[in-house]
């Protein structure tokens, strides 16, 4: 059982849809992250939030819009996605220090049709 | 560019044998971490080794770090079928902006045959 919960586990959406991914951590961590995992590619860091403030946007297209209302919740709002955006989207949290390991959720498997 | 690169990309061994995976990186780091991922699941942190450490143990895991060669290895001893998974190295380093980044490699897929 992970301390980081992601919903939904699976999502199929059309290119004109708007959907949101949700992440919640129950570990009391200060930092939250979105990573994208595509087949045969390394994990790509998308966004980093520390104490609800965005500290990293790794050149992510604007069709991905993150939201962090508090230190326990993180959303990724999706609109007008492309088929190449299909991937496993992983949320993680940590204590926000460089030597703090990341705790991952089980991800949302996104398919864009 | 990719920071950590694992070698080999895939490894198949018999139960009871040892498995060794290697990771190379390009820039200076604060620490190097190893994670495990079962198919369709999230990553699970295994072990962290700091840049001033050379070797670390945790149960059947042994990690080495050679900062002069910018490389690390993960050794799993007496492997079990349940060790079948993908293993990733990740490096963490401070940024000029004052924050830090944790960057992952492409992973090694380990298959342990019963």
């Amino acid at each position: 059982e992970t301390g980081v919960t992601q919903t939904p586990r699976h999502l199929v959406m059309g290119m004109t849809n708007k959907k949101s991914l949700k992440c919640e951590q129950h570990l009391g961590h200060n930092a939250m992250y979105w990573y994208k995992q595509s087949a045969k590619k390394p994990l790509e860091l998308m966004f980093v939030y520390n104490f609800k403030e965005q500290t990293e946007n790794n050149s992510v297209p604007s069709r991905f819009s993150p939201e962090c209302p508090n230190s326990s919740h993180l959303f990724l709002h999706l609109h007008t996605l492309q088929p190449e955006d299909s991937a496993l989207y992983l949320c993680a949290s940590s204590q926000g220090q460089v030597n703090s390991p990341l705790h991952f959720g089980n991800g949302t498997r996104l398919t864009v049709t | 560019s990719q920071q950590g690169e694992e070698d080999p990309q895939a490894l198949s061994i018999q139960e009871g044998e040892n498995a060794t995976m290697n990771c190379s990186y390009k820039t200076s780091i604060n620490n190097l971490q190893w994670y495990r991922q079962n198919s369709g699941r999230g990553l699970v942190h295994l072990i962290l080794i700091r840049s001033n450490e050379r070797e670390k143990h945790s149960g059947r895991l042994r990690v080495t770090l050679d900062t002069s060669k910018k490389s690390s290895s993960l050794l799993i001893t007496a492997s079990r079928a349940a060790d079948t998974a993908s293993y990733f190295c990740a490096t963490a380093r401070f940024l000029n902006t004052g924050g830090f980044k944790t960057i992952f490699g492409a992973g090694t897929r380990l298959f342990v045959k019963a």
Side-chain angles (χ1 to χ4, degrees):
Chain A
E1 182 65 33
T2 176
V4 180
T5 304
Q6 288 188 247
T7 54
R9 286 299 311 277
H10 301 273
L11 178 63
V12 179
M13 60 186 288
M15 291 190 285
T16 58
N17 291 160
K18 289 185 181 181
K19 296 286 184 183
S20 295
L21 310 184
K22 179 183 176 182
C23 176
E24 183 175 1
Q25 59 99 358
H26 313 277
L27 301 169
H29 288 163
N30 303 320
M32 297 188 77
Y33 312 78
W34 280 116
Y35 280 86
K36 175 184 178 183
Q37 186 176 33
S38 305
K40 299 181 180 179
K41 291 177 67 176
L43 269 75
E44 298 173 57
L45 178 63
M46 300 175 73
F47 302 103
V48 180
Y49 279 82
N50 273 290
F51 293 99
K52 305 187 299 177
E53 299 297 321
Q54 187 180 124
T55 57
E56 180 75 18
N57 177 338
N58 205 27
S59 302
V60 180
S62 59
R63 58 185 184 270
F64 295 91
S65 174
E67 178 190 1
C68 188
N70 55 62
S71 294
S72 299
H73 293 85
L74 184 65
F75 295 89
L76 188 62
H77 303 300
L78 316 171
H79 64 97
T80 59
L81 294 191
Q82 305 298 313
E84 60 264 28
D85 296 322
S86 299
L88 182 66
Y89 288 84
L90 292 163
C91 173
S93 70
S94 79
Q95 291 182 336
Q97 298 163 4
V98 69
N99 289 319
S100 303
L102 301 179
H103 295 254
F104 283 85
N106 284 324
T108 294
R109 171 68 62 185
L110 174 67
T111 302
V112 181
T113 60
Chain B
S1 61
Q2 184 175 314
Q3 172 70 322
E5 296 186 17
E6 287 91 340
D7 166 59
Q9 290 186 334
L11 181 61
S12 181
I13 59 174
Q14 289 291 140
E15 203 167 31
E17 294 181 338
N18 296 341
T20 299
M21 289 160 270
N22 302 297
C23 171
S24 60
Y25 56 92
K26 297 175 183 175
T27 66
S28 62
I29 61 172
N30 290 88
N31 65 64
L32 187 142
Q33 303 167 45
W34 285 91
Y35 289 78
R36 165 197 168 122
Q37 183 181 34
N38 287 76
S39 180
R41 311 277 288 183
L43 281 73
V44 176
H45 180 258
L46 296 176
I47 196 166
L48 180 151
I49 185 166
R50 302 188 184 209
S51 59
N52 61 353
E53 297 176 310
R54 292 297 166 257
E55 187 170 313
K56 205 162 184 180
H57 297 256
S58 177
R60 293 184 295 113
L61 305 180
R62 173 177 167 253
V63 169
T64 62
L65 179 64
D66 187 335
T67 53
S68 66
K69 295 181 180 178
K70 293 186 168 58
S71 67
S72 173
S73 67
L74 170 68
L75 168 68
I76 303 175
T77 60
S79 63
R80 305 165 183 168
D83 294 329
T84 295
S86 291
Y87 292 82
F88 297 85
C89 71
T91 53
R93 60 188 177 93
F94 283 113
L95 304 174
N96 294 333
T97 55
F100 66 91
K101 265 187 176 182
T102 302
I103 304 296
F104 288 79
T108 292
R109 295 183 64 183
L110 174 66
F111 181 66
V112 182
K113 292 176 281 188

